[in-house]
Amino acid sequence: MFSLDEIDFGSVAAQQETHLSSYFYRSGAFIQAGSVNTYLVLGAKGAGKSAIFKMLFELKNEVRSLKHPHIGINDEPQLREHWETLNNHKLSSSKVTLWRFYFASLIAYRLINE
């Protein structure tokens, strides 16, 4: 017999989880996130966005919307850092500008690596 202390419930954050694929549940949210009609995944902290993102990337060959010719960009938004950069350079305090800056950084990153 064993106690509950011996059970591995995984890491608190999906980014630090090493065995996520062995017990990840493909919920409705996961299926929706992999849909061709989904462009943005929103949710509260702890809702599972990072876990879904990580598993979508790992299972990209199984998720129809991520198969060629679509390109998955393995990135986790660093919006707080981008927001600080914009404010430090007094460029703008607009959230629209923040998202434009974020998408421009993704495109620049992709171009540099290609």
Side-chain angles (χ1 to χ4, degrees), residues 44-87:
K45 184 175 181 173
K49 298 176 304 294
S50 295
I52 287 173
F53 178 79
K54 186 173 181 179
M55 291 310 299
L56 281 172
F57 190 76
E58 283 188 27
L59 301 170
K60 63 186 171 197
N61 294 327
E62 296 177 33
V63 180
R64 197 177 88 196
S65 65
L66 298 178
K67 289 184 181 177
H68 185 73
H70 300 289
I71 297 171
I73 298 174
N74 188 14
D75 177 68
E76 194 169 309
Q78 304 295 319
L79 296 177
R80 286 191 179 113
E81 290 82 358
H82 291 326
W83 185 255
E84 282 183 34
T85 301
L86 289 172
N87 286 329

Side-chain angles (χ1 to χ4, degrees), residues 12-74:
V12 174
Q15 301 91 323
Q16 300 162 355
E17 185 56 61
T18 54
H19 303 291
L20 182 63
S21 59
S22 64
Y23 55 80
F24 181 77
Y25 172 68
R26 296 181 190 199
S27 65
F30 174 78
I31 293 165
Q32 254 187 321
S35 166
V36 294
N37 298 321
T38 301
Y39 299 96
L40 183 64
V41 177
L42 299 173
K45 184 175 181 173
K49 298 176 304 294
S50 295
I52 287 173
F53 178 79
K54 186 173 181 179
M55 291 310 299
L56 281 172
F57 190 76
E58 283 188 27
L59 301 170
K60 63 186 171 197
N61 294 327
E62 296 177 33
V63 180
R64 197 177 88 196
S65 65
L66 298 178
K67 289 184 181 177
H68 185 73
H70 300 289
I71 297 171
I73 298 174
N74 188 14

Side-chain angles (χ1 to χ4, degrees), residues 3-14:
S3 70
L4 287 177
D5 295 333
E6 297 172 6
I7 298 174
D8 179 15
F9 288 103
S11 177
V12 174

